[in-house]
Amino acid sequence: MPQHATISSAEQHRALGLSTFAFTMCFAVWTIFAIIGIEIKAELGLNDTQFGLLVGTPILTGSLVRLFLGVWADQYGGRIVFPLTMLASAVSTVLLSHADSYGLMLLAALGLGLAGGGFAVGVAYVSKWYPQHRQGAALGFFGMGNVGAAVTKFAAPFVMVALGWQAVAQIWAGVLAVTAVLFFVLAKDDPDLAARKFSGEAPRGLREQLEPLRNEQVWRFSLYYFFVFGAFVALALWLPKYLIGVYGVDVKAAGMLAATFSLSASVFRAYGGILADRYGARRIMYATFGVSLLCLFMLSYPSTDYVIHGIKGDIHFATSMSLVPFVITVFVLGFFMSLGKAAVYKHIPVYYPDHVGSVGGLVGLVGGLGGFVLPIVFGAVSDLTGIWTSCFAVLFALVAVALTWMHLAIRQMEQKAAGIDTRSLPQFPEMAGLHDAARHAAQVQPAKVLTDWRPEDAEFWEATGQRIANRNLYISIPALLLAFAVWMVWSVVVAKLPLIGFDYTTDQLFWLAALPGLSGATLRIFYSFMVPIFGGRLWTTLSTASLLIPAFGIGYAVQNPDTPYFIFLILALLCGLGGGNFASSMSNIGFFFPKARKGNALALNGGLGNLGVSVMQFAVPVVITSGVFGAIGGDAQLAKTGAHLWLQNAGFIWVPFIMAASLLAWFGMNDIADAKASFAEQAVIFQRKHNWLMCWLYTGTFGSFIGFSASLPLLAKKEFPEVEVLKYVWIAPLVGAISRAATGWVADRWGGARVTFWVFVAMILGVLGVVHFLQAKDFAGFLTMFVFMFLVTGVGNASTFQMIPNIMRREVPRLMPELAAADATRQAEKEAGAIVGFTSAIAAYGAFYIPKAFGTSITLSGSALPALFGFLAFYVSCAALTWWVYARPGGMLHAAERGQAAPTTPLAQGASA
């Protein structure tokens, strides 16, 4: 930390003043759509949901980049990062003024949103100039830059009326560019960076910077900021439209009235910082949430007419909030939100003085996402309910959750701090662990973190470990099942879209079926490393809860035939969140079980999780035929066949289960304190040729399972339009999921290479059978052949994974002869585990290329046969590769599989994807 005593007050004021002015200009640009969006909405004829997406898009960019901008500000200094951020946003804002379509405007809005990321840069920069006891006030003053939203609301309407919305964008961009230049010229390097330059010390690496993000309290702070800042941004964008729609004022009056909220939610932030320094951030947060709950209850109550049938006749009265009380109420709401914003950021430099950039960036990221998500939710809820005040009802529920979580967490931490001399602690009793960690570690250690975990110790396992491990497994399985269900839901949805008025080509429909596979496979690579960073309990909760985004999105999008195709593309990509969950789920469960039981646990987790595909393909065709959610779920769509469909239920049906699974994960699962994995140690697998060979083979088994799962409903519907195919196609992935969990013994008995070879021979025969029955137009034979192929893919998943540890136990001693026998065994197990994870990620791309191959084949030739012949050639190559390298006489595994029993390994029991 810098020596603040050597920093003059003039230098501090210079840094704070320049940063606050720069952030004000950034915020003015960041919220520009609150005004010009109204004109653009009318010009392009957008509905409420499209309008919400447009005004929220810059907020998305500004949120997502905050984490990395905060880290870069710590590493390279705010003096260089802040101006570059502003210049990039200014260029995009100029380009916005030349956009002439909704799609181009969204694209330009993504770049414009970089201005919002300036907040994370400023927090990291300003905090380094002030001592801890003054950081609350300093960061509160800096946060007053939120007043830029009020600047836009005051000035932009007049400029737009006089010169047009394009002029607003160009003028705001010019001011931002000038601000960037002035900041670079006038600002100085922060004390930390100057000290590092003088000493030659290298900045902390990214991994070290991100280390605190695994702490639960960081995510709790993020939820607080999701409301106090995210809801502020959302309301700043939404209020002009609300005022025009509810009270009938013109755009200039709406902008000025909405500015009162932006002012109160901005200028008092400095006062909030002073109060947090004096009374403690916790008290300010209680006041913020309590008053906000009251204000939002008043605001969320819709205008209502009442009729009471009295003794002497009907008594009529009405309840409504007129314009003046409304403005006063939102002013009070904004005032307490401004206090809360300062209080949240008072926590960060106190708890994490050496990680202000990364922690502040993450908290700002989540808060900024509120500014993106909430306007879309406001629009969707408004379209769904037809009630103007529904936006405030959403915020009321959000505050209630945040207040409850905060209170329960603080009570728990206070209880753990009981008996500690709190006179030696600052304002938070929960900070005991930071000030006397060695003496009080046992008292402050969260109960959900397992600091003593010895699954290989038989006595420990029988007494304690088995019960805890099984509980985590039983919670993980339904969470993973839901992940697979959401991942593959488009395979059914696309088959129904044409029936309710979505006029998409066959290739477009196959793109929607394929994209979840592309994003899911890519996310698997990254999700593999999340559990050691964030902890299995937290990451399972977050990754499961993230499924709510595509579930809600699909539910709302399919109700409007005018929904743009690119919205569906985005939702299809977001469904890939479910595909990514497999990697982190398997990694997490693997830490809990001893080697002797790991294979069975992973087989149950992965195999039963895969049942989500067949559960989805069975359940969705049923639930879309009735309004199971009543009026809340929306109206039915009239299909071309004359039937009524509630296709939105394909998304909504998973929502209550996802919520329940997320809560179960949070309250029922555990973190293992010493569950660590090094990417550098595992990266050696990229030098192993057998890693790449097994990727090819596993793509032939699991890639086929997930790819055919994604494409079979649409393919069957296309080839057999007279058959209700959705009643039957779910059987195939069900058979595949069961077979992968139940056939690991086959490879153990006969050898993985031998079984894998015959699996691919069977796949070749299966493809030939599909071709035959497709040409014969025989649906029963067509489905039977696919069921057969799904069955053998399950066997192949187990056999390919059984091969991997056996291969590495023979390869490592050859490649590393210097290792002792025990060390070579450990290295082989480590590399085998890494290869298992990597091959599962690569094979998951089958969910993309198989549907895309079918779509392209049908588009170019009118038939799926060219794609099937391509798959036939691929399976021939897999069979040849397996035979030549592993199974033939002289092959790597030939003698071992025939001369002795197959080795028992943790991965040999079908621990497949």
Side-chain angles (χ1 to χ4, degrees):
M1 293 296 293
Q3 298 298 319
H4 294 286
T6 63
I7 303 172
S8 68
S9 60
E11 291 177 311
Q12 292 174 331
H13 295 158
R14 180 193 191 94
L16 180 58
L18 286 172
S19 299
T20 304
F21 178 75
F23 181 49
T24 302
M25 296 301 101
C26 284
F27 215 87
V29 170
W30 200 32
T31 56
I32 196 172
F33 276 109
I35 300 300
I36 68 173
I38 297 172
E39 185 68 25
I40 294 172
K41 181 179 186 293
E43 187 177 299
L44 298 181
L46 307 179
N47 60 32
D48 280 348
T49 302
Q50 291 172 315
F51 175 75
L53 179 62
L54 179 64
V55 301
T57 295
I59 312 304
L60 175 64
T61 307
S63 304
L64 294 179
V65 300
R66 285 185 169 190
L67 175 58
F68 296 101
L69 287 177
V71 172
W72 291 337
D74 271 344
Q75 291 179 326
Y76 307 112
R79 180 173 175 264
I80 185 65
V81 177
F82 215 159
L84 290 176
T85 303
M86 288 187 278
L87 289 174
S89 178
V91 171
S92 297
T93 307
V94 171
L95 294 177
L96 171 70
S97 66
H98 299 286
D100 57 3
S101 69
Y102 184 61
L104 290 176
M105 287 179 181
L106 285 174
L107 185 62
L110 285 171
L112 179 152
L114 291 171
F119 174 75
V121 182
V123 166
Y125 180 70
V126 170
S127 65
K128 291 178 171 58
W129 291 92
Y130 287 85
Q132 190 177 98
H133 68 277
R134 295 182 58 198
Q135 285 174 338
L139 293 177
F141 188 90
F142 167 74
M144 285 175 55
N146 291 164
V147 78
V151 172
T152 291
K153 289 185 178 67
F154 272 125
F158 296 96
V159 177
M160 185 171 69
V161 170
L163 303 175
W165 69 264
Q166 293 88 347
V168 177
Q170 293 167 358
I171 293 171
W172 265 236
V175 173
L176 187 62
V178 171
T179 302
V181 174
L182 290 175
F183 187 92
F184 180 75
V185 171
L186 299 177
K188 295 182 178 181
D189 288 337
D190 65 74
D192 273 5
L193 181 64
R196 285 206 312 268
K197 286 183 176 179
F198 180 78
S199 65
E201 178 187 355
R204 290 188 301 272
L206 180 62
R207 184 180 182 87
E208 184 182 353
Q209 291 269 29
L210 299 180
E211 180 65 24
L213 305 190
R214 65 183 299 166
N215 294 338
E216 172 191 329
Q217 65 184 180
V218 174
W219 297 90
R220 185 158 42 86
F221 297 160
S222 299
L223 176 64
Y224 304 164
Y225 207 61
F226 187 86
F227 170 69
V228 295
F229 177 76
F232 155 67
V233 174
L235 287 177
L237 297 169
W238 191 259
L239 278 178
K241 179 180 182 298
Y242 183 94
L243 289 164
I244 293 171
V246 175
Y247 297 107
V249 299
D250 61 28
V251 66
K252 291 184 287 186
M256 295 184 67
L257 290 173
T260 61
F261 168 76
S262 299
L263 280 171
S264 67
S266 304
V267 298
F268 294 106
R269 187 164 179 167
Y271 183 55
I274 294 172
L275 293 177
D277 281 342
R278 180 175 301 174
Y279 300 108
R282 185 180 61 183
R283 293 181 181 178
I284 305 304
M285 291 307 304
Y286 268 119
T288 294
F289 287 150
V291 175
S292 296
L293 203 66
L294 177 62
C295 290
L296 288 167
F297 176 79
M298 297 167 57
L299 292 168
S300 63
Y301 202 86
S303 297
T304 309
D305 293 321
Y306 293 91
V307 178
I308 299 177
H309 301 292
I311 298 174
K312 297 181 180 181
D314 292 345
I315 302 173
H316 298 264
F317 68 96
T319 60
S320 63
M321 182 177 287
S322 60
L323 181 59
V324 173
F326 176 83
V327 174
I328 294 174
T329 304
V330 296
F331 182 90
V332 173
L333 176 65
F335 171 78
F336 279 92
M337 291 172 81
S338 69
L339 302 186
K341 284 184 282 188
V344 171
Y345 269 85
K346 168 64 178 176
H347 289 83
I348 294 171
V350 175
Y351 276 92
Y352 304 100
D354 297 326
H355 299 86
V356 173
S358 57
V359 176
L362 177 71
V363 173
L365 183 156
V366 175
L369 282 178
F372 168 73
V373 172
L374 289 174
I376 300 175
V377 173
F378 291 169
V381 174
S382 176
D383 286 339
L384 183 62
T385 64
I387 300 174
W388 277 107
T389 59
S390 57
C391 59
F392 296 110
V394 170
L395 296 182
F396 176 83
L398 177 62
V399 173
V401 171
L403 177 58
T404 301
W405 190 13
M406 182 183 76
H407 180 70
L408 292 176
I410 289 175
R411 289 299 300 161
Q412 182 185 37
M413 289 183 289
E414 286 178 335
Q415 290 168 1
K416 290 174 182 175
I420 298 174
D421 183 6
T422 55
R423 292 174 299 177
S424 63
L425 301 178
Q427 54 212 311
F428 310 112
E430 63 267 29
M431 291 182 65
L434 295 178
H435 293 269
D436 200 359
R439 187 160 56 94
H440 301 294
Q443 289 177 282
V444 300
Q445 179 65 51
K448 293 296 183 180
V449 178
L450 304 173
T451 55
D452 179 25
W453 188 248
R454 295 170 282 115
E456 301 297 341
D457 184 329
E459 184 177 344
F460 172 85
W461 178 255
E462 291 296 330
T464 305
Q466 185 172 8
R467 175 178 52 83
I468 296 174
N470 286 338
R471 185 182 70 242
N472 281 268
L473 174 62
Y474 298 152
I475 294 174
S476 177
I477 288 173
L480 188 56
L481 185 147
L482 290 169
F484 270 90
V486 172
W487 189 24
M488 291 290 104
V489 72
W490 277 103
S491 65
V492 173
V493 172
V494 293
K496 294 294 186 181
L497 286 177
L499 293 178
I500 59 173
F502 290 93
D503 187 20
Y504 296 147
T505 66
T506 298
D507 192 48
Q508 286 178 311
L509 293 174
F510 273 107
W511 263 110
L512 292 178
L515 281 179
L518 178 64
S519 57
T522 303
L523 287 173
R524 280 190 176 198
I525 299 173
F526 298 100
Y527 275 40
S528 299
F529 305 101
M530 293 297 104
V531 170
I533 295 175
F534 295 104
R537 170 176 168 252
L538 176 59
W539 186 253
T540 302
T541 302
L542 293 175
S543 60
T544 302
S546 71
L547 303 176
L548 290 170
I549 301 173
F552 273 119
I554 291 171
Y556 290 124
V558 299
Q559 296 186 59
N560 184 1
D562 295 326
T563 301
Y565 179 67
F566 79 89
I567 296 294
F568 284 125
L569 292 177
I570 293 173
L571 289 171
L573 286 170
L574 287 172
C575 282
L577 292 168
N581 281 12
F582 168 80
S584 56
S585 178
M586 297 291 275
S587 172
N588 182 48
I589 292 302
F591 285 119
F592 281 94
F593 287 83
K595 293 178 181 179
R597 299 173 183 263
K598 196 186 298 287
N600 185 56
L602 293 177
L604 288 172
N605 191 56
L608 297 181
N610 288 169
L611 282 175
V613 179
S614 54
V615 169
M616 179 277 300
Q617 292 185 350
F618 172 80
V620 168
V622 175
V623 299
I624 64 175
T625 59
S626 62
V628 294
F629 294 102
I632 299 176
D635 297 329
Q637 301 101 26
L638 182 63
K640 294 179 180 179
T641 60
H644 285 85
L645 292 178
W646 286 262
L647 192 56
Q648 61 266 34
N649 290 349
F652 290 155
I653 191 62
W654 310 111
V655 169
F657 298 105
I658 293 171
M659 290 180 174
S662 300
L663 291 173
L664 276 174
W666 181 251
F667 291 106
M669 297 189 77
N670 299 91
D671 291 325
I672 298 176
D674 60 353
K676 298 178 181 179
S678 167
F679 176 78
E681 291 177 345
Q682 299 179 73
V684 69
I685 67 170
F686 300 122
Q687 304 172 25
R688 307 302 193 214
K689 72 173 183 178
H690 293 285
N691 174 52
W692 304 104
L693 296 181
M694 293 310 299
C695 283
W696 187 264
L697 298 183
Y698 193 57
T699 299
T701 56
F702 177 73
S704 297
F705 167 82
I706 202 66
F708 288 143
S709 296
S711 55
L712 181 58
L714 186 57
L715 175 65
K717 187 69 176 176
K718 184 70 178 175
E719 297 294 337
F720 301 95
E722 72 283 358
V723 180
E724 288 290 335
V725 298
L726 295 183
K727 293 182 179 179
Y728 309 104
V729 294
W730 60 271
I731 298 172
L734 173 64
V735 170
I738 293 174
S739 72
R740 76 185 55 212
T743 59
W745 64 270
V746 177
D748 286 341
R749 173 66 179 83
W750 301 102
R754 200 164 17 168
V755 171
T756 300
F757 171 75
W758 288 110
V759 161
F760 288 122
V761 171
M763 293 295 290
I764 292 170
L765 296 175
V767 172
L768 291 174
V770 170
V771 170
H772 169 75
F773 289 112
L774 198 58
Q775 292 176 323
K777 293 298 179 181
D778 183 344
F779 175 72
F782 169 87
L783 181 61
T784 300
M785 286 296 98
F786 265 109
V787 170
F788 171 72
M789 287 199 293
F790 271 89
L791 173 67
V792 295
T793 60
V795 179
N797 285 330
S799 63
T800 49
F801 270 34
Q802 196 267 0
M803 293 168 61
I804 292 172
N806 292 337
I807 291 169
M808 298 317 298
R809 285 181 178 179
R810 286 159 179 78
E811 276 289 279
V812 168
R814 182 181 68 84
L815 297 171
M816 299 181 173
E818 71 279 5
L819 294 180
D823 293 334
T825 299
R826 283 193 293 271
Q827 180 67 22
E829 291 176 353
K830 183 186 300 183
E831 293 190 24
I835 292 174
V836 165
F838 185 72
T839 54
S840 73
I842 298 301
Y845 282 106
F848 169 73
Y849 78 75
I850 289 181
K852 191 65 188 72
F854 278 128
T856 302
S857 175
I858 293 172
T859 299
L860 296 180
S861 67
S863 170
L865 293 179
L868 288 168
F869 285 124
F871 301 148
L872 180 67
F874 174 67
Y875 296 138
V876 169
S877 74
C878 290
L881 174 63
T882 305
W883 171 260
W884 182 255
V885 179
Y886 302 111
R888 68 179 175 87
M892 174 178 284
L893 300 178
H894 179 272
E897 292 182 353
R898 286 162 175 77
Q900 60 186 35
T904 301
T905 71
L907 300 169
Q909 301 296 323
S912 54

